Amino acid sequence: QKVREYIKAWQHSSRFRDDISLARERGYVPIVAQTMVRHEMPPQFFYLAMQESDFDPDACGPRTRVGIAKGMWQFMPERAREYDLRTGPLVDLRQHDRLDDRHDVQKATAAAAKYLRDLYETEAQASGLLVMACYNWNQDIILPVVRKMPEDPRQRNFWSFLKIKRIPEETYNYVFMIFSAAVIGED
């Protein structure tokens, strides 16, 4: 039922069509899909980039206590460096930085695929929805809760997680927006 509600939200906006058109125009569809598959990840994570930045490689998020997220995949500086993306001299400014790899679609997409794969290999046990929640919120908050859940994947999933841990509304919407976009895209 929740997914249907979010599908309706997409249908009442031009954002989905606009973003997909932009991704096709700029050649991002094959770049993201092929990179995900090469890293043994579902190509549907394409929709995560859509939710993060509307496929804008120049996107700069708001300043937070841990820095400014940049690029199509909205990597924070520390996570970017962890996945071999160079941050540029404008790392602390909300503007495009040609020397920052987070703005490089191919490099950032490869880093995102590696990070998503690493999240898949955690206690999240290949739950795509938990992986998306970790990507958006904070794996250091989510994974300790997941570790306390039963190991059976039928019981260790996003739906069970929601019963025991309240997540920020932003993360809740984030997961459902991506999942519903993937449902639309795959239909």
Side-chain angles (χ1 to χ4, degrees):
Q1 181 58 37
K2 268 296 176 206
V3 174
R4 286 187 190 104
E5 290 173 26
Y6 281 82
I7 288 172
K8 284 182 183 170
W10 279 116
Q11 291 171 330
H12 289 95
S13 163
S14 65
R15 181 178 166 213
F16 186 91
R17 282 185 304 280
D18 294 346
D19 285 356
I20 297 300
S21 293
L22 178 71
R24 285 183 177 145
E25 252 174 54
R26 294 184 177 177
Y28 297 158
V29 178
I31 290 170
V32 174
Q34 291 167 10
T35 302
M36 290 297 157
V37 170
R38 194 169 44 256
H39 288 89
E40 300 175 347
M41 296 307 316
Q44 290 81 3
F45 275 121
F46 167 84
Y47 300 101
L48 191 145
M50 184 167 85
Q51 184 63 21
E52 284 289 342
S53 68
D54 295 319
F55 299 115
D56 181 359
D58 297 331
C60 296
R63 182 177 306 283
T64 70
R65 63 178 177 75
V66 293
I68 298 169
K70 291 187 177 188
M72 190 163 82
W73 295 93
Q74 290 292 282
F75 273 102
M76 297 302 269
E78 184 179 330
R79 186 77 64 206
R81 289 186 290 268
E82 183 181 334
Y83 283 89
D84 300 321
L85 294 175
R86 177 187 56 186
T87 55
L90 305 178
V91 68
D92 294 324
L93 299 176
R94 290 190 69 217
Q95 66 184 65
H96 180 268
D97 182 348
R98 66 181 183 81
L99 299 176
D100 194 316
D101 289 341
R102 295 177 291 170
H103 296 294
D104 182 303
V105 172
Q106 292 190 329
K107 288 179 182 178
T109 299
K114 290 173 192 170
Y115 180 40
L116 289 164
R117 186 195 61 229
D118 288 350
L119 288 172
Y120 252 91
E121 292 174 356
T122 66
E123 293 82 359
Q125 290 187 320
S127 167
L129 301 181
L130 280 175
V131 167
M132 288 185 273
C134 285
Y135 193 98
N136 176 258
W137 188 16
N138 186 335
Q139 71 188 59
D140 296 331
I141 294 172
I142 293 175
L143 294 178
V145 176
V146 171
R147 285 182 196 111
K148 295 176 184 172
M149 297 170 69
E151 288 191 28
D152 178 357
R154 288 184 298 257
Q155 297 174 327
R156 186 181 271 194
N157 56 49
F158 183 72
W159 313 110
S160 298
F161 182 87
L162 290 177
K163 292 177 186 172
I164 59 174
K165 178 76 173 167
R166 184 173 171 86
I167 65 173
E169 186 175 348
E170 173 194 331
T171 301
Y172 184 86
N173 290 332
Y174 176 90
V175 170
F176 279 102
M177 290 297 285
I178 296 168
F179 188 77
S180 59
V183 169
I184 293 168
E186 295 301 304
D187 184 357

